[in-house]
Amino acid sequence: MRAGLLLNMGLRSLARNKMRSFLTMLGIIIGVAAVIAMLAIGQGARTSMEASIASLGTNVIMVFPGAQSAGGVRMEAGASGRFTVEDVEAVRKEAPALRHITPIARTSAQIKAGGANWRSSVYGVYPEYLDIRQWEVTSGSVFSAAEERSGAKVCLLGRTVADSLFGAGSDPVGQSIRIQNLPFRVVGVLAPKGQSSFGQDQDDLVIAPFTTVARKLLATFNAQSLYASATSAEAIPEASAQIEEVLRRQQRVPEGESSPFMLRTQTEITQAATAMSTTLTLLLSSIAGISLLVGGIGIMNIMLVSVTERTREIGIRLALGARGNDILLQFLVEALVLSFVGGLIGIALGVGASALLASTQGWAVLVSPSSIALAFGFSAATGIFFGWYPARKAARLNPIEALRYE
Amino acid sequence: MAAPMLAVRGLTKNYRLGDIEFQALRGVDLDVAPGEFVAVGGPSGSGKSTLMNVLGCLDVPTTGSYHLDGESVERLTADHLALVRNRKLGFVFQSFNLLKRTSALENVELPLLYRKGVSNREARDRAMDALKAVGLADRWRSHPNQLSGGQQQRVAIARSMVNDPVVILADEPTGNLDTRTSLDIMEVFQGLNARGITIVLVTHEPDIMRFAGRHVVVRDGRIVKDAPNAPASARAQVAALAARGED
């Protein structure tokens, strides 16, 4: 029998039981829509996570105080500076795999400008910090290394801080602000980075020279953490090994004892995030897969009913010269049409649901062509897999008994 | 005598019903020549339906040989039997066995759809010709539930002849029809037979057997009578009936 004829026959037979066909398809529709929406959400989550990791900078290595595997007491990160300027200088000189390194002194402070008042984080860093984080300055410029060393009272404002103190879209370069009542001159405004994947506003900060923040605001010579970048992605492990070696020597950590600080590389963070989003996608997909399975069982169920109902028709066709394969194909095509049409509706629904989620919930949702292909392939496979058994049952009927069936 | 169209020798068929072995056919010999119109009679349970199933290649015999149009068919596979049914046989059933919700034309086309090398167009034309031959060309669009029993049986006859079979097998074709309609159907069969088509008809009604050119009676799985018969004319009877109705 020709393919066109088979298809026509399948469509007609399904059109005879419209309600039943639709209800049967519903399982596949929901399954496919779920696969597409779930994959889109997973994909979207991964993309936004990757973007926020990329916003950390390039080839970043972070060094925090506190033992990597502290058994009992753990030092509070902000309690006191653990890294001296000498440590930083030593690392800078002796770790060739590093491109940049900066100490970080961080505090939370009340910031005033004119009548406006805003509480924000103040980061004391070397000018290289912006290079490590690949952060552009939209107006003005970064303070110089000389200004940093001399403890100049200059600062860069994050977009949020600039907007809050001076009004949205303003250019406060040259203006004066007070951080904990100490006057600072604004020398630049940072390009907006937006929210991090954890919902933090990355633009709500003030960046000032390390020396100024450490001495004048925190009354210390030490840094709370270090922020460095390796020369390349491949050099990250080497660079972190070098940092660790130099810092252990600087801080005179005895052989065999664990370091009183820990290193986090961007690679590790990326891996952790990827593992998380993979788990998420897997979880969502397995839910979607189960609904497809249920849909497939629905198809099998209704096809079995259909074969029984049409036993006599099958008998007639066999008597008139249909071979077992002709009958098999007829019923398989019907199952396939059910799953295909269901798949198509499901794709439309899934794409629609993803778009709805994206617009109403503001979720990063990404429908990829591959997920559509996957969902469609799955529904087709479901049709073949679950249509096979009923179709084979039909094909194996004995013509005499089928003709006698009432 | 020309080479027989159907040649059956020593045919037996056993069925197993639970533990009991049941012999439906106990050695049947039968030759049907081209162009014959054979009526097979006998009481129910005589084995005539089983004989019909074997002759119709719907079932295979337990022992014995069966040559159809010169081809040995008693040991063929299911697929090969389907091919033989499609190419060489036409079926007419007691309960018509038309596909519901399918037009008369599409019902008649059905055997051709399972035959390779017949285009849709050709199938349509041949089905239309067959419907013309049974006088239902104007009802080609009708579905079975829009047709009377006699008309449905005519559609079934058109379907049985659309593939130019070597023999048409009719199993109690008038069993569900009234006397008048039965005569109509027998007239159609006689018309086809006059055009040279071989017909084997199973019936237990002596009234129907009268129209065949040969009587074969089966009892307890054996042929007990096989004799030629001077057929009555269904057309004349229909005319007579019509004349009486006018009085």
Side-chain angles (χ1 to χ4, degrees):
Chain A
M1 250 186 167
R2 276 171 294 276
L5 211 63
L6 273 169
L7 194 66
N8 184 20
M9 253 164 60
L11 283 171
R12 275 174 56 172
S13 123
L14 294 174
R16 264 171 220 162
N17 284 304
K18 286 193 187 67
M19 189 64 181
R20 187 163 94 181
S21 303
F22 173 73
L23 288 175
T24 309
M25 274 191 282
L26 207 55
I28 294 289
I29 292 174
I30 292 172
V32 168
V35 167
I36 292 204
M38 300 292 179
L39 285 178
I41 291 168
Q43 203 98 327
R46 178 179 302 216
T47 310
S48 72
M49 210 145 12
E50 275 166 6
S52 80
I53 289 167
S55 77
L56 287 175
T58 43
N59 314 324
V60 170
I61 302 165
M62 289 170 274
V63 190
F64 302 105
Q68 233 144 349
S69 53
V73 189
R74 195 185 168 102
M75 292 288 283
E76 198 185 329
S80 67
R82 300 283 304 194
F83 306 105
T84 63
V85 176
E86 288 72 38
D87 289 342
V88 176
E89 284 313 309
V91 172
R92 200 210 290 276
K93 278 194 197 100
E94 296 174 47
L98 280 188
R99 187 194 300 278
H100 296 302
I101 183 162
T102 172
I104 295 180
R106 183 183 167 219
T107 184
S108 187
Q110 204 68 27
I111 301 157
K112 288 179 208 152
N117 208 317
W118 188 253
R119 194 167 183 82
S120 186
S121 300
V122 181
Y123 282 75
V125 294
Y126 287 175
E128 291 94 324
Y129 179 74
L130 295 183
D131 231 350
I132 300 171
R133 293 207 59 184
Q134 301 230 297
W135 214 335
E136 300 290 322
V137 174
T138 47
S139 79
S141 59
V142 189
F143 47 82
S144 67
E147 283 175 307
E148 196 287 319
R149 273 194 298 276
S150 66
K153 288 188 280 226
V154 291
C155 68
L156 296 154
L157 300 185
R159 193 64 248 176
T160 305
V161 177
D163 287 349
S164 306
L165 295 177
F166 296 98
S170 57
D171 181 7
V173 172
Q175 302 275 351
S176 181
I177 62 168
R178 296 177 85 83
I179 301 175
Q180 282 181 355
N181 285 326
L182 225 60
F184 279 75
R185 186 166 49 85
V186 177
V187 293
V189 178
L190 297 165
K193 265 194 187 248
Q195 278 192 353
S196 75
S197 54
F198 310 104
Q200 274 175 326
D201 181 359
Q202 300 184 88
D203 300 317
D204 188 4
L205 88 173
V206 174
I207 287 175
F210 170 75
T211 311
T212 319
V213 174
R215 293 188 189 171
K216 307 236 162 86
L217 294 179
L218 290 168
T220 176
F221 290 98
N222 296 342
Q224 292 152 352
S225 59
L226 304 178
Y227 215 83
S229 68
T231 48
S232 67
E234 294 72 40
I236 290 177
E238 195 191 343
S240 40
Q242 289 170 349
I243 292 173
E244 175 144 32
E245 190 199 322
V246 174
L247 283 180
R248 281 177 72 94
R249 202 183 61 227
Q250 281 291 117
Q251 302 193 351
R252 298 191 182 81
V253 182
E255 197 84 25
E257 204 168 289
S258 65
S259 304
F261 52 83
M262 55 184 180
L263 287 95
R264 281 279 170 274
T265 67
Q266 201 167 10
T267 330
E268 286 167 359
I269 296 170
T270 310
Q271 279 163 356
T274 308
M276 198 170 95
S277 74
T278 306
T279 310
L280 184 81
T281 308
L282 213 68
L283 182 82
L284 296 177
S285 311
S286 58
I287 292 170
I290 287 168
S291 54
L292 258 183
L293 184 78
V294 172
I297 292 170
I299 287 192
M300 178 144 95
N301 189 16
I302 220 66
M303 290 310 294
L304 281 172
V305 170
S306 177
V307 167
T308 307
E309 270 182 359
R310 288 153 71 190
T311 300
R312 206 179 173 100
E313 174 191 330
I314 295 164
I316 296 170
R317 290 179 184 275
L318 287 171
L320 297 183
R323 288 165 302 143
N325 269 344
D326 293 320
I327 302 293
L328 182 95
L329 267 180
Q330 181 186 343
F331 282 89
L332 207 54
V333 164
E334 264 179 47
L336 267 179
V337 168
L338 272 178
S339 63
F340 257 63
V341 175
L344 284 177
I345 298 174
I347 286 170
L349 217 65
V351 172
S354 307
L356 202 72
L357 278 176
S359 69
T360 60
Q361 301 292 304
W363 291 8
V365 171
L366 218 76
V367 179
S368 66
S370 69
S371 77
I372 291 182
L374 184 80
F376 202 67
F378 249 111
S379 66
T382 306
I384 293 176
F385 186 78
F386 288 102
W388 183 263
Y389 174 71
R392 213 175 64 139
K393 198 178 161 208
R396 289 195 169 179
L397 283 176
N398 176 326
I400 298 170
E401 278 161 28
L403 277 171
R404 229 181 270 148
Y405 187 87
E406 290 298 331
Chain B
M1 189 170 146
M5 205 59 113
L6 283 78
V8 165
R9 291 286 174 278
L11 208 65
T12 69
K13 180 68 188 179
N14 297 350
Y15 287 114
R16 186 171 275 283
L17 293 170
D19 290 339
I20 308 154
E21 183 105 343
F22 173 71
Q23 288 187 291
L25 295 177
R26 302 163 185 246
V28 171
D29 298 321
L30 182 69
D31 280 340
V32 176
E36 267 194 295
F37 188 167
V38 183
V40 180
S44 57
S46 60
K48 61 185 194 298
S49 286
T50 305
L51 178 61
M52 203 62 171
N53 287 339
V54 174
L55 292 182
C57 293
L58 289 166
D59 210 347
V60 287
T62 306
T63 60
S65 73
Y66 175 22
H67 283 76
L68 174 63
D69 196 19
E71 187 185 357
S72 173
V73 295
E74 70 270 3
R75 291 283 171 270
L76 293 181
T77 61
D79 276 0
H80 211 136
L81 285 175
L83 193 73
V84 171
R85 291 196 294 272
N86 187 247
R87 294 292 168 98
K88 301 199 168 170
L89 298 171
F91 289 95
V92 180
F93 302 94
Q94 177 173 359
S95 50
F96 322 136
N97 278 341
L98 299 176
L99 295 187
K100 291 172 205 150
R101 300 197 240 185
T102 307
S103 74
L105 186 70
E106 284 170 309
N107 264 296
V108 176
E109 274 182 339
L110 206 55
L112 297 178
L113 301 186
Y114 291 110
R115 179 181 279 200
K116 281 201 184 82
V118 179
S119 68
N120 289 349
R121 167 102 211 179
E122 190 190 343
R124 188 131 296 206
D125 291 346
R126 282 172 69 173
M128 207 65 200
D129 288 344
L131 275 177
K132 256 180 221 149
V134 297
L136 281 176
D138 54 333
R139 302 302 302 272
W140 66 273
R141 244 187 254 270
S142 309
H143 286 196
N145 58 359
Q146 298 165 321
L147 297 170
S148 70
Q151 286 172 325
Q152 289 187 52
Q153 196 59 299
R154 280 165 187 259
V155 173
I157 293 171
R159 184 180 65 186
S160 74
M161 56 181 277
V162 75
N163 57 343
D164 293 327
V166 298
V167 56
I168 290 179
L169 299 167
D171 192 357
E172 304 272 9
T174 58
N176 285 4
L177 302 172
D178 61 34
T179 313
R180 170 64 212 269
T181 317
S182 297
L183 285 178
D184 280 345
I185 294 300
M186 292 319 293
E187 188 186 341
V188 172
F189 276 125
Q190 284 192 330
L192 293 178
N193 185 238
R195 284 165 50 183
I197 297 178
T198 312
I199 297 171
V200 176
L201 182 148
V202 168
T203 182
H204 63 271
E205 298 171 71
D207 270 1
I208 296 302
M209 290 186 80
R210 287 184 298 146
F211 302 107
R214 178 176 165 196
H215 286 176
V216 172
V217 178
V218 182
R219 182 163 289 145
D220 295 331
R222 288 193 184 87
I223 291 177
V224 294
K225 182 191 164 196
D226 186 349
N229 175 54
S233 164
R235 178 187 289 264
Q237 300 236 345
V238 169
L241 214 60
R244 220 177 308 153
E246 275 165 23
D247 287 342

